[in-house]
Amino acid sequence: MIFGKKGDEAVRNKLASTPAPYREIALRLHELICESAPSLEPVVRWGLAFYVKDGKDVCYIKPDKAYLAFGFGEVVNPAFEEGALMHPVAWTITALDEATEQKIRALVQKAAG
């Protein structure tokens, strides 16, 4: 099987093991992704939470004891800007506020098509 474990419960269980203080942020990110793009399938692969559409990675959450990273696959990078020489694909998240949540929602919706 290409994926480790599929589904919301598998991803929630994985993210619940994220060290504090990032556990709450990781679980909130999961909610934001699922609400913003219900067409994405949550899966756990390589110990990370991925969100997949048509077999392609759209975005992921990478927890660590010192940070929480949130990123997109390069192929569906919603932060790509035509003409720019650098394109962000991942961000380190230290806290969530309304403005950050709105930006994440918009990026996820764009990436998910």
Side-chain angles (χ1 to χ4, degrees), residues 13-25:
N13 288 340
K14 181 63 186 171
L15 295 176
S17 68
T18 301
Y22 302 107
R23 181 179 310 115
E24 298 294 328
I25 298 170

Side-chain angles (χ1 to χ4, degrees), residues 53 60 65-66 68 77 82 91 99-101 105 110 113:
K53 183 174 182 180
Y60 63 89
K65 64 181 182 229
L68 183 80
N77 181 6
E82 195 66 47
W91 295 262
T100 305
E101 287 191 7
R105 284 181 195 278
K110 185 176 178 184

